Amino acid sequence: KQLSAVHRQRARLELAAGDKVAALGALTRAFEGDPQNGALAMELGVLAVELDEVEVLSRAFRAVTLMKVSPAGSAEGTSLAARGLAYYHLGRIAFAQGDKRKARMLIEKAAADDPGHEAARALLEQLKLG
């Protein structure tokens, strides 16, 4: 876990320098060292979305969906809003890959965890219409 913090800090430095690919590598190593850190997993997943790294974002967001919901400020676990965002991105990927059944299931979970997530609600309506 201690080395994970070093990799995370390196990722932030890489981002500040504008090197998102190097930052993704550092965050991936950080996540491997601390796989139950919900904030770290979300940070990795969001950066992977920006870089269209489907495998990395899937692994990070799946980890978030399996984490327990914990109180704010806790290093372990995740929040309902973060879990909802993770489900949304996984559902969006399933939709893009043509798996509408899986996409709908994931987006329904996203909307349940975070009812205020407008993009999830819009995609869910689109999926319900066919």
Side-chain angles (χ1 to χ4, degrees):
K1 273 189 173 180
Q2 292 171 338
L3 192 53
S4 175
V6 172
H7 287 299
R8 193 173 190 186
Q9 184 60 34
R10 178 169 178 225
R12 290 182 178 148
L13 292 171
E14 297 289 2
L15 283 172
D19 191 345
K20 290 182 179 184
V21 173
L24 184 70
L27 277 177
T28 300
R29 286 188 295 284
F31 177 67
E32 289 167 355
D34 192 5
Q36 291 302 309
N37 185 323
L40 174 59
M42 288 301 296
E43 195 175 334
L44 174 61
V46 168
L47 182 57
V49 166
E50 286 182 37
L51 296 174
D52 199 30
E53 290 287 340
V54 175
E55 186 177 318
V56 176
L57 77 86
S58 294
R59 191 173 65 227
F61 288 141
R62 274 195 314 267
V64 171
T65 66
L66 297 172
M67 290 178 189
K68 65 181 177 175
V69 175
S70 60
S74 175
E76 298 290 316
T78 191
S79 68
L80 277 175
R83 192 171 71 183
L85 183 60
Y87 276 127
Y88 167 73
H89 283 295
L90 291 171
R92 194 178 53 76
I93 294 299
F95 181 72
Q97 293 174 340
D99 191 342
K100 291 182 181 180
R101 186 187 64 74
K102 182 178 180 181
R104 184 172 176 169
M105 177 197 66
L106 292 166
I107 297 299
E108 284 175 347
K109 288 182 178 190
D113 279 354
D114 187 1
H117 194 288
E118 293 297 323
R121 290 186 14 212
L123 184 53
L124 185 57
E125 287 303 314
Q126 184 180 353
L127 286 165
K128 285 180 179 178
L129 292 175

